[in-house]
Amino acid sequence: GFCAALAGAGFHVVRYDHRDAGLSTHFAGQKKAYELTDMIDDMMAVLDATGWESANLVGLSMGGGLAQFAALLQPERVRTVTAISAIPQYGQPVRLFRYIRFPGPFKLVFRRYGDNPEQKQQMLMDVTRLTEAKSLPLDDEWVRETAAESLRRHPPDRYARSRQLAAGFAAKLPAGGIARITQPVLVLNGDEDPIVRPAAGRMLARAVPHGRFLLVHRMGHMFSAPLWPELVSEIDRHAT
């Protein structure tokens, strides 16, 4: 996959599940169950476990937002930031919605799925399909395999994303905000992202002192294998 492509370029790659995702700890309830700083502490714990003093952070979507906070809160442990399909973090949630395409992530809000494994897998497949570019869709077999693996790792939790978003919305940026990020920041957005407008990436790159924006053609919110070489090349150039 994409991580293997990064490793092939010479990087040591570690990928982990955020809390309330995959094999990491899941919480209960519909309201905020932890702070965003706890999620940053999780990230630092992964670095500790690998024995790394610092790392180049690559974050997709919410991960790109967390990478911005990490660069501010733990600057000595972040070498560079690559934010993919991400939104600039302001500490004011209402400002984020200007960058969201509608109906975008809300297309499936009224669709109902059954409680059997087949229906749960179909839901995961439909959600993944929301992220793809029309001119370069995700591979059908990859979508099926990814949904099946996600279901195996942990059944869908309808409130997990709500808890993650609640932590993000409640987070407060340090004084000066993202303009205080001193690390180089590469911002990658797709011109066919059905969820986040490219304006988000342009604004993020302008807001930080050492930002560079690249609009990737035929890329959605997620990206297909044909785009991996371009993305890996840009990340390699940025991190080295």
Side-chain angles (χ1 to χ4, degrees), residues 16-217:
Y16 73 100
D17 293 329
H18 298 302
R19 56 177 61 198
D20 259 333
L23 296 178
S24 289
T25 301
H26 283 248
F27 294 77
Q30 302 181 37
K31 298 181 180 180
K32 183 165 69 73
Y34 42 82
E35 305 294 335
L36 183 135
T37 50
D38 294 322
M39 301 182 77
I40 301 301
D41 288 344
D42 295 341
M43 188 188 303
M44 297 303 115
V46 172
L47 293 186
D48 292 340
T50 62
W52 296 353
E53 293 184 0
S54 62
N56 301 293
L57 299 185
V58 179
L60 170 67
S61 194
M62 181 182 72
L66 288 173
Q68 294 170 57
F69 272 92
L72 287 168
L73 299 175
Q74 299 283 350
E76 72 284 354
R77 308 206 67 179
V78 179
R79 298 180 186 179
T80 66
V81 170
T82 298
I84 305 174
S85 304
I87 291 176
Q89 299 301 299
Y90 295 114
Q92 300 175 6
V94 69
R95 296 181 65 182
L96 305 181
F97 287 101
R98 73 176 71 179
Y99 300 119
I100 301 297
R101 293 190 190 275
F102 291 92
F106 306 102
K107 283 184 177 180
L108 299 178
V109 69
F110 296 114
R111 186 171 299 181
R112 295 292 177 260
Y113 296 88
D115 199 39
N116 58 68
E118 292 76 16
Q119 282 288 289
K120 289 179 179 179
Q121 181 171 336
Q122 185 62 53
M123 181 192 71
L124 292 171
M125 292 172 61
D126 290 346
V127 170
T128 302
R129 285 293 187 200
L130 283 180
T131 70
E132 67 184 2
K134 291 187 180 301
S135 66
L136 192 60
L138 300 171
D139 179 72
D140 288 334
E141 186 61 27
W142 180 87
V143 172
R144 282 192 295 272
E145 291 177 356
T146 300
E149 177 64 11
S150 297
L151 186 60
R152 185 193 67 80
R153 288 160 66 86
H154 196 281
D157 179 348
R158 62 185 299 188
Y159 298 121
R161 182 51 59 90
S162 296
R163 293 189 295 267
Q164 291 173 338
L165 290 175
F169 288 163
K172 302 299 181 184
L173 285 168
I178 57 177
R180 297 284 299 275
I181 293 177
T182 59
Q183 300 90 335
V185 178
L186 172 63
V187 187
L188 303 173
N189 285 78
D191 64 348
E192 295 186 34
D193 189 332
I195 297 176
V196 173
R197 300 178 186 277
R202 293 191 179 93
M203 180 57 71
L204 173 54
R206 286 199 298 264
V208 298
H210 308 291
R212 179 167 70 91
F213 173 73
L214 177 66
L215 184 65
V216 182
H217 298 294

Side-chain angles (χ1 to χ4, degrees), residues 204-232:
L204 173 54
R206 286 199 298 264
V208 298
H210 308 291
R212 179 167 70 91
F213 173 73
L214 177 66
L215 184 65
V216 182
H217 298 294
R218 300 199 302 164
M219 186 175 99
H221 196 68
M222 292 178 64
F223 38 86
S224 298
L227 294 174
W228 293 353
E230 179 182 1
L231 300 184
V232 169

